[in-house]
Amino acid sequence: MIGKLLVRGMLLGLVAGLLSFGFLKLAGEPSVDRAIAFESAMEEARAAEDKAKGLPAPVEEPELVSRHVQAGVGLLTGVAVYSTAFGGLFSLAFALAYRRMGDFGARATSALLAMAGFVSVYLTPVLKYPANPPSVGLAETIDMRTSLYFAMILISLAAMIAAGMLRLRLAPRFGNWNAALMAAAAYVVVVSVVAMALPEVNEVPEGFPATLLWQFRIASLGGQAIMWGSLGLLFGLAAERVFAAHEPLLRRSTV
């Protein structure tokens, strides 16, 4: 049964990725184009200043991948691979969490798991280290910024898992609703302390349009919300059908 859930999770992850790609293509790519135009204008201004000072012009590096390929096949491939992988991981997490999160059916478990994944894997880390378009960020700090971002993801995910276990422990004493609120509060406290302890990263260049930065981050948020939301809803339906198909077999084996 886990194998069937894994296959369906990966396929539905691909579907969710295609939906996310469509949104990012329409809502995100215009912001990327404007950010690249801003970066090009900055480079031209620096080149003009260097020329006025008599400095040699910088050597232009060859373009390995065209912008057309990046915005089309490149974006589609990246989103599809990312979403398919997350779909497989999501199915395994579902198999582990089903009936252990509480007396929830397949649809409710899938929806709650997707919500928890969206918050812990994307929303919380991006509140500390927001998504930035091209021309935002220094090349020499990319390793540091990547390490900090993934550290925030791992800590947030671990805190979410711990909060889920805490809810199960508190539920018999305080009730499901109160236990959920207490676990959520504990999660918020932990990630808030961690976020304040981690160093700040602010490398937005002077003069970068605030509206453009906001539009890019909203597009990134929308793409992730579509992926996680679609995966949670579609996988719940698929898992429900898998369980329904296996139920007669389980009954026969017990007779």
Side-chain angles (χ1 to χ4, degrees):
M1 185 183 299
I2 294 180
K4 291 185 177 181
L5 291 175
L6 177 61
V7 172
R8 283 163 174 76
M10 295 181 70
L11 290 176
L12 293 175
L14 177 59
V15 173
L18 293 176
L19 294 174
S20 179
F21 165 76
F23 175 82
L24 291 173
K25 182 68 176 177
L26 295 174
E29 283 304 309
S31 299
V32 174
D33 289 335
R34 290 174 58 195
I36 292 175
F38 176 85
E39 183 178 24
S40 299
M42 289 183 60
E43 292 177 352
E44 291 176 359
R46 283 194 295 265
E49 290 179 1
D50 292 342
K51 184 177 180 180
K53 296 176 182 178
L55 299 176
V59 179
E60 294 186 4
E61 297 182 359
E63 187 179 39
L64 300 178
V65 182
S66 67
R67 174 62 188 142
H68 177 73
V69 173
Q70 293 176 12
V73 177
L75 177 62
L76 175 60
T77 302
V79 172
V81 172
Y82 174 86
S83 301
T84 302
F86 260 102
L89 294 174
F90 183 85
S91 65
L92 297 178
F94 175 89
L96 182 64
Y98 185 61
R99 295 302 185 188
R100 293 182 177 90
M101 293 177 61
D103 191 20
F104 300 114
R107 294 189 190 185
T109 301
S110 181
L112 290 172
L113 197 61
M115 186 183 302
F118 172 73
V119 171
S120 60
V121 176
Y122 177 76
L123 185 59
T124 297
V126 88
L127 288 175
K128 174 62 179 179
Y129 300 114
N132 290 322
S135 76
V136 175
L138 302 176
E140 55 268 26
T141 64
I142 187 171
D143 291 337
M144 180 198 70
R145 288 185 282 116
T146 302
S147 299
L148 289 173
Y149 181 72
F150 277 103
M152 191 66 201
I153 291 178
L154 292 176
I155 295 171
S156 175
L157 184 59
M160 182 64 74
I161 295 173
M165 297 173 65
L166 178 63
R167 182 187 69 84
L168 293 177
R169 286 181 175 271
L170 296 177
R173 181 177 179 182
F174 298 100
N176 290 327
W177 179 249
N178 291 330
L181 292 178
M182 295 168 69
Y187 170 80
V188 171
V189 170
V190 170
V191 296
S192 297
V193 171
V194 171
M196 288 186 290
L198 290 176
E200 296 288 338
V201 176
N202 184 12
E203 299 179 351
V204 180
E206 185 179 353
F208 192 88
T211 303
L212 175 56
L213 188 63
W214 175 255
Q215 290 173 346
F216 179 86
R217 290 174 176 176
I218 289 296
S220 175
L221 175 65
Q224 287 286 327
I226 289 173
M227 188 200 77
W228 283 101
S230 301
L231 183 59
L233 295 175
L234 295 175
F235 186 83
L237 293 172
E240 195 173 59
R241 293 181 179 179
V242 170
F243 292 146
H246 277 73
E247 187 175 355
L249 298 177
L250 294 175
R251 290 178 178 177
R252 290 177 188 175
S253 63
T254 57
V255 174

